[in-house]
Amino acid sequence: MLKMVGNTLINYIQGDITSEKVDAIVNAANSGLMGGGGVDGAIHRAGGHQILDECKKIIANIGRLPAGEAVITGGGNLPAKFVIHTVGPVWHGGDRGEPQILKNAYFNSLKLGSKHELESIAFPSISTGIYGYPIENACLVAVGSVSDFLKSEKHYYKEIRFILFSEKDYLYYKGIIEKII
Ligand code: AR6
C-alpha cells in the first residue's frame, strides 16, 4: 500500500538502489567518501569513476564528512541524476547519540535535495549493514525523519522511496510505514 504525506508519495520497494531512476539516490557512505563495501561499493561500481572523482574534490575541500551530514555529486553512469552521500552512525548500543545522527542523515539528505529542487529521491536503509544499527530501531528513525521533514520544510518532492535490499528489511519498513504514515 502506498502512503502520502501531503502531496508526497512514500514508497517502499525491495531491490537494488543502483537501478533506481530517480533524481537522486542516497549513499550510505563513510566520512572519507572514498567508497567502501555494502551499498557504497555497489554505487561506486555501477556509477563509475566520475562519482569518486567528485568525492575526492569534496574531501580536498572539507577534510571529512561528519556523520549526519550530506553532500551531493553527479550520478555518473547511474540512471539517477545525482548521488547524495551521507554518513550514518556506527551503532555502539544506542547511547552515543546514534538515533539523532541517523535522523540527521535522512533530514540533511532531504534538505540538500530540496536545495537542488529534486522531485524524487531513493534511500537505502542507512547504518543497518556494516555499521550495525538494529533494523527494527533504524526504520522507525528513518521513516520518522522523512515524515518530519515533509511536514516542516519547503521542498519539491513528489516521491520518496525506500529501497530495501532484503525481504526482512522490506517487511520492517512496510510495518512502520503502514503504522506511522
Ligand atoms: N541497494 C540497496 N541496499 C543495499 C545495497 C544495494 N545495492 N547493497 C547493500 N544494501 P551498508 P552502513 C543495504 O553496510 O551500515 C560501507 O563500507 C544493506 O543490506 O551498505 O551505513 C561504507 O563505506 C543494508 O541494509 O551501510 C561505510 O564504511 C543497507 O544497505 C559503511 O559501509 C546499509 O548497509 C556504512 O555502513
Side-chain angles (χ1 to χ4, degrees):
M1 202 188 353
L2 301 175
K3 295 280 191 163
M4 303 291 292
V5 176
N7 294 321
T8 308
L9 175 68
I10 307 292
N11 201 351
Y12 48 96
I13 296 166
Q14 189 185 342
D16 176 348
I17 203 165
T18 62
S19 322
E20 290 299 309
K21 290 188 188 68
V22 281
D23 287 342
I25 62 170
V26 176
N27 182 16
N30 58 64
S31 292
L33 289 189
M34 291 299 129
V39 70
D40 192 10
I43 288 171
H44 281 283
R45 274 195 303 279
H49 68 90
Q50 269 171 275
I51 299 177
L52 191 60
D53 291 348
E54 281 190 63
C55 284
K56 283 181 181 163
K57 283 186 192 144
I58 292 168
I59 289 300
N61 275 327
I62 65 172
R64 59 189 287 281
L65 182 66
E69 301 294 317
V71 294
I72 191 165
T73 66
N77 301 326
L78 294 167
K81 290 179 214 149
F82 298 97
V83 178
I84 291 178
H85 306 262
T86 190
V87 182
V90 177
W91 180 256
H92 290 292
D95 55 3
R96 292 206 209 164
E98 294 95 328
Q100 185 61 49
I101 297 168
L102 187 61
K103 182 177 181 179
N104 293 348
Y106 284 92
F107 205 93
N108 288 326
S109 296
L110 289 167
K111 221 168 163 171
L112 184 57
S114 70
K115 208 170 131 189
H116 290 260
E117 303 189 7
L118 305 186
E119 294 185 349
S120 57
I121 187 168
F123 283 96
S125 181
I126 298 166
S127 280
T128 64
I130 293 162
Y131 280 0
Y133 204 123
I135 182 81
E136 59 274 28
N137 304 339
C139 64
L140 194 56
V141 175
V143 175
S145 183
V146 166
S147 170
D148 285 353
F149 177 88
L150 293 175
K151 288 173 184 162
S152 66
E153 300 284 322
K154 181 177 178 317
H155 69 85
Y156 305 90
Y157 294 112
K158 292 181 178 154
E159 184 178 348
I160 296 179
R161 266 180 225 172
F162 290 101
I163 309 299
L164 294 322
F165 210 42
S166 71
E167 191 185 7
K168 175 176 146 275
D169 293 355
Y170 170 81
L171 292 172
Y172 272 115
Y173 274 75
K174 178 177 157 64
I176 290 297
I177 289 168
E178 286 180 358
K179 194 166 155 192
I180 73 168
I181 299 279

